[in-house]
Amino acid sequence: MNALEVSDVGFAYGARRALDQVSFTAAQGRFTALLGPNGAGKSTLIALLTRLYDLQQGQIHIAGFGLRETPRKALARLGVVFQQSTLDLDLTVEQNLRYHAALHGMPRAVANERIEVELQRQQLGDRRRSKVRELNGGHRRRVEIARALLHRPDLLLLDEASAGLDPASRQALNQHVRMLCQEQGMSVLWTTHLLDEVRADDDLLVLNRGRLVAQGHAHELAENGD
Ligand code: ADP
Ligand code: ADP
């Protein structure tokens, strides 16, 4: 089963068409890069995936659950890192995670165990008592990833996650998310407008003006590319 299936999705803001017959899948355990310039429709697609907007046309399945038919189940399988951070800067890393777990009704013992696991996986163990305000941008992103993974989703969606980071932190974050994929089998959808965040063995989707203009292995697209 695919982590994500997008079938014939279309979306328009009034008369302005933002997505047109977009179909693709993101395979389990793979790093899928969604590349497109500003205005391509990436944010619109993410708003549909996260149900910020209702589907107008087509179908989306997350880990097999239809967003139309079983939206709660589908959304429970998704972990999202939005472009705009929603961390509380004045709480510690641990408090942010605890707050999120409580908000989602996670029993305390389960929350404690998962927070521990995520702090280690995101290499944040030594930052647990730091206020988010004291962390650099790269660390803050890792806190957001930890939070997105607390409910054990099947797909981790990152929307322009490297925006606003300096080049070294950008590189480190990209590397870190790839490690989650390769070593922990996480399925990732990474959106970006920056070609240098794509690697040869990625599953690559290229969106332009609301249409998927290329999809396949990044190295194949590079060979055939024109
Ligand atoms: P153009 O590409 O012709 O310059 P835009 O895409 O910038 O047009 O904008 C078209 C309309 O959609 C405008 O009314 C603009 O305010 C609105 N719009 C564009 N992008 C957004 C956005 N991300 N959020 C809200 N409104 C937007
Ligand atoms: P990206 O995230 O790839 O930059 P978007 O999904 O934000 O692309 O935008 C896709 C198209 O839809 C653009 O032409 C944009 O101007 C338009 N658009 C986005 N949001 C709105 C909105 N709220 N109202 C009108 N047009 C919008």
Side-chain angles (χ1 to χ4, degrees), residues 13 16 39 43-44 53:
Y13 297 93
R16 171 175 279 272
S43 302
T44 303
Y53 301 154

PDB file of all heavy atoms in Angstrom, residues 13 16 39 43-44 53, ligand 1:
ATOM      1  N   TYR A  13      -9.359  28.603  -7.051  1.00  0.00           N
ATOM      2  CA  TYR A  13      -9.785  29.716  -6.203  1.00  0.00           C
ATOM      3  C   TYR A  13     -10.671  30.587  -7.089  1.00  0.00           C
ATOM      4  O   TYR A  13     -10.150  31.361  -7.897  1.00  0.00           O
ATOM      5  CB  TYR A  13      -8.590  30.529  -5.721  1.00  0.00           C
ATOM      6  CG  TYR A  13      -7.608  29.766  -4.848  1.00  0.00           C
ATOM      7  CD1 TYR A  13      -6.490  29.139  -5.404  1.00  0.00           C
ATOM      8  CD2 TYR A  13      -7.799  29.692  -3.472  1.00  0.00           C
ATOM      9  CE1 TYR A  13      -5.593  28.450  -4.604  1.00  0.00           C
ATOM     10  CE2 TYR A  13      -6.897  29.003  -2.663  1.00  0.00           C
ATOM     11  CZ  TYR A  13      -5.801  28.389  -3.234  1.00  0.00           C
ATOM     12  OH  TYR A  13      -4.910  27.715  -2.450  1.00  0.00           O
ATOM     13  N   ARG A  16      -9.571  31.175 -10.646  1.00  0.00           N
ATOM     14  CA  ARG A  16      -8.145  30.890 -10.777  1.00  0.00           C
ATOM     15  C   ARG A  16      -7.853  29.423 -10.466  1.00  0.00           C
ATOM     16  O   ARG A  16      -8.029  28.970  -9.330  1.00  0.00           O
ATOM     17  CB  ARG A  16      -7.339  31.776  -9.827  1.00  0.00           C
ATOM     18  CG  ARG A  16      -5.881  31.390  -9.737  1.00  0.00           C
ATOM     19  CD  ARG A  16      -5.116  32.369  -8.893  1.00  0.00           C
ATOM     20  NE  ARG A  16      -4.772  33.556  -9.652  1.00  0.00           N
ATOM     21  CZ  ARG A  16      -3.667  33.676 -10.385  1.00  0.00           C
ATOM     22  NH1 ARG A  16      -2.807  32.687 -10.443  1.00  0.00           N
ATOM     23  NH2 ARG A  16      -3.420  34.771 -11.023  1.00  0.00           N
ATOM     24  N   GLY A  39       4.092  29.547  -6.680  1.00  0.00           N
ATOM     25  CA  GLY A  39       2.879  29.643  -7.477  1.00  0.00           C
ATOM     26  C   GLY A  39       2.515  28.355  -8.197  1.00  0.00           C
ATOM     27  O   GLY A  39       1.494  28.280  -8.863  1.00  0.00           O
ATOM     28  N   SER A  43       1.394  24.697  -1.978  1.00  0.00           N
ATOM     29  CA  SER A  43       0.661  25.023  -0.745  1.00  0.00           C
ATOM     30  C   SER A  43      -0.804  24.621  -0.848  1.00  0.00           C
ATOM     31  O   SER A  43      -1.400  24.165   0.130  1.00  0.00           O
ATOM     32  CB  SER A  43       0.744  26.516  -0.440  1.00  0.00           C
ATOM     33  OG  SER A  43       2.083  26.900  -0.326  1.00  0.00           O
ATOM     34  N   THR A  44      -1.357  24.785  -2.034  1.00  0.00           N
ATOM     35  CA  THR A  44      -2.750  24.384  -2.244  1.00  0.00           C
ATOM     36  C   THR A  44      -2.897  22.881  -2.043  1.00  0.00           C
ATOM     37  O   THR A  44      -3.821  22.419  -1.362  1.00  0.00           O
ATOM     38  CB  THR A  44      -3.206  24.791  -3.666  1.00  0.00           C
ATOM     39  OG1 THR A  44      -3.016  26.197  -3.821  1.00  0.00           O
ATOM     40  CG2 THR A  44      -4.662  24.436  -3.897  1.00  0.00           C
ATOM     41  N   TYR A  53      -8.498  22.865   3.243  1.00  0.00           N
ATOM     42  CA  TYR A  53      -9.501  23.071   2.203  1.00  0.00           C
ATOM     43  C   TYR A  53     -10.174  21.735   1.908  1.00  0.00           C
ATOM     44  O   TYR A  53      -9.540  20.686   1.997  1.00  0.00           O
ATOM     45  CB  TYR A  53      -8.877  23.556   0.886  1.00  0.00           C
ATOM     46  CG  TYR A  53      -8.112  24.848   0.946  1.00  0.00           C
ATOM     47  CD1 TYR A  53      -7.107  25.105   0.025  1.00  0.00           C
ATOM     48  CD2 TYR A  53      -8.407  25.828   1.897  1.00  0.00           C
ATOM     49  CE1 TYR A  53      -6.402  26.301   0.044  1.00  0.00           C
ATOM     50  CE2 TYR A  53      -7.703  27.023   1.925  1.00  0.00           C
ATOM     51  CZ  TYR A  53      -6.701  27.250   1.000  1.00  0.00           C
ATOM     52  OH  TYR A  53      -6.006  28.416   1.007  1.00  0.00           O
TER      53      TYR A  53
HETATM   54  P1  ADP B   1      -0.692  36.911 -10.628  1.00  0.00           P
HETATM   55  O1  ADP B   1      -0.003  35.574 -10.686  1.00  0.00           O
HETATM   56  O2  ADP B   1      -1.536  37.215 -11.821  1.00  0.00           O
HETATM   57  O3  ADP B   1       0.214  38.042 -10.240  1.00  0.00           O
HETATM   58  P2  ADP B   1      -1.526  36.252  -8.023  1.00  0.00           P
HETATM   59  O4  ADP B   1      -1.390  34.782  -8.049  1.00  0.00           O
HETATM   60  O5  ADP B   1      -0.451  37.006  -7.332  1.00  0.00           O
HETATM   61  O6  ADP B   1      -1.764  36.799  -9.478  1.00  0.00           O
HETATM   62  O7  ADP B   1      -2.890  36.647  -7.297  1.00  0.00           O
HETATM   63  C1  ADP B   1      -4.181  36.376  -7.819  1.00  0.00           C
HETATM   64  C2  ADP B   1      -5.205  36.627  -6.717  1.00  0.00           C
HETATM   65  O8  ADP B   1      -5.100  35.615  -5.714  1.00  0.00           O
HETATM   66  C3  ADP B   1      -5.000  37.937  -5.989  1.00  0.00           C
HETATM   67  O9  ADP B   1      -6.255  38.467  -5.616  1.00  0.00           O
HETATM   68  C4  ADP B   1      -4.193  37.565  -4.783  1.00  0.00           C
HETATM   69  O10 ADP B   1      -4.413  38.446  -3.716  1.00  0.00           O
HETATM   70  C5  ADP B   1      -4.724  36.191  -4.479  1.00  0.00           C
HETATM   71  N1  ADP B   1      -3.701  35.331  -3.915  1.00  0.00           N
HETATM   72  C6  ADP B   1      -2.632  34.818  -4.545  1.00  0.00           C
HETATM   73  N2  ADP B   1      -1.913  34.042  -3.754  1.00  0.00           N
HETATM   74  C7  ADP B   1      -2.558  34.070  -2.582  1.00  0.00           C
HETATM   75  C8  ADP B   1      -2.321  33.436  -1.335  1.00  0.00           C
HETATM   76  N3  ADP B   1      -1.291  32.603  -1.135  1.00  0.00           N
HETATM   77  N4  ADP B   1      -3.166  33.656  -0.330  1.00  0.00           N
HETATM   78  C9  ADP B   1      -4.208  34.466  -0.516  1.00  0.00           C
HETATM   79  N5  ADP B   1      -4.485  35.065  -1.659  1.00  0.00           N
HETATM   80  C10 ADP B   1      -3.689  34.882  -2.677  1.00  0.00           C
END
